[in-house]
Amino acid sequence: MTHRLYFLVPVSLSAIFLAYISVSWLYVSCLFLAILLLLLFTQSLSVTEVSVFLCVFFVVFFRFADMYEHQTPIESFDQGELMGKVIQVKQQTDTYQRFIIQPDNQPTNVLITHFNPLDFDLVKGQHLRLDVSFEPPESPQNPGMFDYDRYLLTENVAAQAVAETVHYEGESLFSPIFTYRLKFLYHLQSRLSETTFGLVSALVLGEKSLLDDEFKDLFTRWHLTHLLAISGLHVGLMVHMLSLFLTRICRLNKETTWLVLLLVFLTFPFIAGGTPSVFRASLVGLLGYLALIIRTKLSTLDALSFVFLFLIMIKPYWLFQLGFQYSFLVTFSIVLSRPILSRYKHALTSLIFITALSFLITLPLQLTKFYSVNLVSLVINPPVNLLFSLLIIPLCFGIAVIALFVPMLLPVMDHILMTIFNGLFLLLSTIDRFCYFPFITGRPYLLHLILYAVSLFLLLRFIDQEKYRQASRYGILIVIIISLIKIMPYFEPYGQVTQLSIGQADVLVMELPHRKGVYLYDVGATTGKDYIEVTDEAYTRVIKPFLHYRGIHKIDGVFLSHSHQDHIGSLPFLVEDFSVEGIYIHSSFDEDSKLPYLDYTTLKVGQRYRMQQHNFDIVLPITQSLDPNDNSMVIHTTFGPFSFLLTGDISAEQESVFLAQYPDKDMDVLTVAHHGSQTSTSAALLEQLSPKYAIISVGLNNNFHHPHPDVITRLKAHHIQLFRTDTDGAVIYRFHKNNGTYQWYTNNQG
């Protein structure tokens, strides 16, 4: 039998991952079995190999099923006292701690937040007694929004709680290791500059949270975050440096060096934060050195396969971690590409190939999770990878060793590392300012991903066979597939109107069929306690991810109803990231609220504006009011069979003006004014216009107690179907320009 054990991991991984994202586990399992039978009957696989595949698949399958079956619902946890062991410390300051605890006699974990000082340092393995109050899970309220519940699943977290008190009860056998690690971090912090300390903490001890957020954001934009986390590259460099030190300086023999390195491989994952990539690299190295000691052969592929299966069996929820997926996908692809790499004689050529391969192999994950990719990063990645490999990572490990044995050299090493990294950061910032052009695709369909996977496999196969003409055809096909993902909205005959759920603020996204136009009515933001100072939270968590999810890179127009920040606060963030063709206001808009670097177009009330073959009627305000809310620009427009009235924050007084001025206007959908305030949505408006649907954009448990019960009562009395963003999430209306078919649904209803 041909030795093909390494095939079982990619096949099993693909099957389980498809089952994870699929609606039906049974469907994917049947598909997987059908493929195996096809391979068996075509003699591509032997009976023995198929049997191995089946055993592996079903063992892992039932391990996942068991994990889901034993997920503990939040209702099963008792409010009050909680006893358990610290699994991970996520963040720790003088007045704030965030950590994961495994309750006694529970298979799942709890994420704990504590807002007061502690009289001891939190480390992994400690046993604690806490007084807690559990919080409801945080489900995504908008398409494209970060799924925090699913993220917690990657840590086997079933519930979140706030701890009123935290009491130390004892520690585990390994807690002293983590205590020493924490003390070493404090020692480094007192001796090093902020930049150097952040780098050494991240690259040597796996404490990425101590890095400056500006560094992490920039590296994320350029697909370089793998360099800021410990990976196989870091472990390999560390082992190589340690091996040279033990053999050349300490003069240890080969067998003793191997034993020391075995000890390093066993302990380093715990010292370095225990991320999947650290465990992968360390365990593969451990198996390799064990094979040397017992004088047996073990291929890298087999070692990698065994490590994958071992980690999946002990921590099945790791499969949901992007870091785990990226780590194994890239490592497998590089190891399987060794025949190709062996033909490249220059290190730079090999590095370019590895960068391109890593980019292509992880691109489906990138597009599925983030809906965009930075293509220019392909040019930036190789030199930055080289700089980290040759200078930054060795310097970080060198500084960690010097801090232990020769601390008087730290200032010199600190200055060298800080100078190199700050120079790199300055260069990347400059490139980012002028060359950052994200390629926004939107979420790909499953068919696109399957076609991409097949094309990439054939591309690499023909490169391996040195049939470059055939390979180039599949390279072109890959470009065509990615382009198809990008242009799919232009073939979509349906339009969509989405009221996003962004708390006590407003954003309505209007997409015309065939992507003829994209318009926003208001682009609000979350505000501070003064309701004036804006933050970018709503923009970064909701608006930008949704636009990327929909494959939107250009916005044809933004209508601003009035100058309050809950309606215009995200505009500066929007124009920085997207091409905005027009910003539309009316004559009563507050001049002081205009951004000086933007051009505004003033629309006249009572006029119809035809934009991209779509009509927008500006109906209010007819006269300027002292109340900014009553100066809201009200728009009447039609999508498919339904007419919409977009009302901003107008009061019942302005509603009366509208009814008198436009007695013949019809309305099917009312966006309820002023977040459901009692001052709006009068009985007269509802009686004369008789809308079928009403949408309230409102924050959950807001301080204004919106929507007012009287408004809800009036809407129900007129038999109007009501959607609320606080309870329903984003409200989405799809329409067809020809036959008038439509569908209303909220995110919670699917």
Side-chain angles (χ1 to χ4, degrees), residues 489-498 508-521 546-547 550-559 579-582 584 610-616 637-639 733 735 737:
Y490 296 91
F491 295 102
E492 175 64 64
Y494 288 89
Q496 182 166 303
V497 179
T498 307
L508 186 76
V509 183
M510 301 169 280
E511 304 171 55
L512 302 182
H514 299 289
R515 195 46 60 80
K516 289 182 178 179
V518 176
Y519 296 91
L520 271 62
Y521 179 73
F546 173 78
L547 295 176
R550 294 293 298 167
I552 296 170
H553 64 94
K554 186 189 78 167
I555 297 168
D556 294 275
V558 178
F559 298 94
S579 171
V580 179
E581 296 296 311
Y584 303 110
R610 189 162 180 79
M611 303 176 181
Q612 306 296 336
Q613 302 179 4
H614 187 86
N615 295 329
F616 294 95
T637 186
T638 300
F639 296 103
Y733 163 62
F735 63 95
K737 65 174 184 178

Side-chain angles (χ1 to χ4, degrees), residues 17 20-22 142-145 147 150 364-372 439-449 482 484-489 515 545-552 747:
F17 184 70
Y20 165 60
I21 64 175
S22 171
N142 301 273
M145 189 176 174
D147 191 338
R150 184 163 291 184
L365 279 178
Q366 176 72 26
L367 297 184
T368 303
K369 297 294 184 180
F370 304 106
Y371 324 117
S372 66
F439 187 73
I440 301 169
T441 61
R443 187 174 185 180
Y445 292 106
L446 182 60
L447 178 61
H448 293 140
L449 299 179
I482 300 301
L484 279 175
I485 299 174
K486 173 75 173 177
I487 64 176
M488 277 300 292
R515 195 46 60 80
F546 173 78
L547 295 176
H548 281 188
Y549 172 86
R550 294 293 298 167
I552 296 170
N747 185 68

